[in-house]
Amino acid sequence: MTGHLRPRVLFVCARNRGKSPMAAGLLQQLVGDAADVTSAGTAAAQTGDVDVNPQSRDALIEVGADISQHRPRLLTAEMARAADVVVVLGREARLPVVDGPRIEVWETDEPSARGIDGMERMRLVRDDIARRVADLADRLGIAPVAEGPSR
């Protein structure tokens, strides 16, 4: 990493209401305070009355993680530059060109393309992201403080 005591991980999706907050919540649950974890969106709403996607929230509550207090925030170039690792989730988000952080793009599973919707869809998305988050923590050398989501 870049000399920080804790790696700084930024998860990015388009609206910052679903996939990136889920990834942040799952990594925080897995590693606790061993990493600085945040999320943002490239097209996030700028009003304070927008909440996280309810199905994303409920899918994480099922595994013991709580993102219900999350409010979408718009990605800035400064946020991206301050991170050690930026993970872009999905195809809709377009990351501004920045120097410095390591950037990963995760083409996350999209069950709706196979006709799977509702909570079944969200659980599959959650599980896909959870596997990737555990792999990321391992590659960053962050020891889990928890065994990860129980399913």
Side-chain angles (χ1 to χ4, degrees), residues 12-123:
V12 176
C13 67
R15 288 172 293 285
N16 194 223
R17 293 189 64 229
K19 292 177 181 176
S20 60
M22 288 178 79
L26 288 165
L27 183 59
Q28 200 74 66
Q29 178 189 37
L30 183 64
V31 304
D33 292 335
D36 289 325
V37 182
T38 191
S39 69
T42 58
Q46 290 301 286
T47 59
D49 60 348
V50 177
D51 292 329
V52 71
N53 177 303
Q55 289 182 340
S56 296
R57 177 199 63 221
D58 293 348
L60 285 195
I61 287 172
E62 288 180 350
V63 296
D66 186 2
I67 59 171
S68 61
Q69 298 304 309
H70 173 78
R71 296 297 174 266
R73 76 184 120 231
L74 187 63
L75 175 70
T76 65
E78 293 78 26
M79 291 170 73
R81 277 194 293 274
D84 297 312
V85 179
V86 177
V87 177
V88 181
L89 292 97
R91 297 180 182 127
E92 295 178 28
R94 299 289 177 246
L95 191 66
V97 176
V98 292
D99 292 326
R102 183 172 92 206
I103 298 171
E104 296 187 13
V105 178
W106 293 355
E107 292 290 333
T108 56
D109 182 36
E110 188 42 71
S112 62
R114 301 186 307 274
I116 302 170
D117 291 311
M119 279 305 292
E120 182 181 4
R121 170 191 174 265
M122 200 54 64
R123 288 179 185 117

